[in-house]
Amino acid sequence: MNVGEQPGRKPRADVQRNRAALLETAQRHFLQHGVGTSLEAVAKEAGVGPGTLYRHFPTREALLAAVLQTRSEELVARQADIERLGDPAEALEQWLRAMEEYFSAFSGLPDPLMAAARAQEPDNPLTIPCGILVTATDQYVEAAQGAGRVRASVRGHDLFLAACSVAWIKGTGMEAESLDRLRNLIASGYRERDVQA
């Protein structure tokens, strides 16, 4: 149930408007200033007070999780394309690139995602989306392991953190060639030796 909603009743129009304005403004601020942007500035630009922002989104992580949910359609579409690939190792590689791009949406985004994935805190709103992505990564890993293309010791959580790390490094302005070498180095760590590039 959303804040301001009563059981069995549709939220008031102004509550829905405020939430939509906050999400739209927060997304713009995250794009321009990164995830550390001023939440007071988000509230002001959205035309609401800080109290309204915190009633809808009690923490920065709650706001960030809600904004990421609005941006997840592109990742879901990529996943649908990836699942049509016949090669499970290629599917895993493409999934890792898709997550890396998703994690690169806002400056500073990998940090709170890695913190949520490491801590597994039930109260952190980012824990659930991270868990969903780790589970999806596990499925790609297991399919590639079943085909003998990925080492048995590799887990989806490991590669989720690897994608976050590459996105973080990408955010520092690392040149494309260095990023490709880093991706190849990571791949050489999870692939079975006889199929390494």
Side-chain angles (χ1 to χ4, degrees):
M1 181 177 0
N2 291 329
V3 176
E5 209 177 316
Q6 294 182 8
R9 300 183 107 183
K10 189 175 178 182
R12 292 186 339 231
D14 62 329
V15 171
Q16 291 177 322
R17 250 190 330 272
N18 288 343
R19 181 178 174 83
L22 284 165
L23 286 172
E24 181 182 322
T25 305
Q27 178 167 282
R28 192 167 46 256
H29 274 250
F30 289 153
L31 283 168
Q32 293 172 354
H33 310 291
V35 297
T37 192
S38 163
L39 297 187
E40 287 72 21
V42 169
K44 184 176 181 180
E45 188 178 318
V48 301
T52 299
L53 183 147
Y54 289 113
R55 274 193 298 279
H56 285 279
F57 308 105
T59 63
R60 180 178 302 274
E61 291 79 12
L63 179 58
L64 186 53
V67 169
L68 287 174
Q69 180 60 39
T70 67
R71 295 179 61 90
S72 65
E73 293 83 10
E74 185 177 328
L75 186 60
V76 170
R78 287 281 302 275
Q79 188 173 14
D81 290 339
I82 290 167
E83 288 176 359
R84 287 193 278 275
L85 295 173
D87 179 353
E90 176 66 17
L92 174 59
E93 187 174 324
Q94 291 299 316
W95 173 246
L96 294 177
R97 286 300 289 270
M99 281 199 304
E100 178 192 317
E101 289 167 18
Y102 183 67
F103 299 154
S104 300
F106 310 126
S107 175
L109 178 58
D111 289 322
L113 292 177
M114 286 191 285
R118 275 193 317 264
Q120 303 275 319
E121 299 167 348
D123 293 341
N124 186 332
L126 292 171
T127 299
I128 291 173
C130 287
I132 290 168
L133 293 174
V134 168
T135 299
T137 307
D138 266 327
Q139 292 168 349
Y140 288 110
V141 167
E142 289 165 9
Q145 286 169 334
R149 304 288 299 280
V150 168
R151 296 176 188 207
S153 61
V154 175
R155 299 290 172 261
H157 188 264
D158 306 331
L159 296 184
F160 169 89
L161 291 175
C164 274
S165 299
V166 173
W168 182 86
I169 292 168
K170 189 177 182 179
T172 67
M174 181 74 69
E175 64 275 1
E177 287 181 9
S178 292
L179 285 170
D180 285 339
R181 284 193 297 272
L182 178 59
R183 289 182 193 109
N184 287 333
L185 183 61
I186 291 168
S188 72
Y190 70 76
R191 289 182 188 142
E192 279 292 1
R193 291 194 191 281
D194 60 341
V195 293
Q196 286 180 5

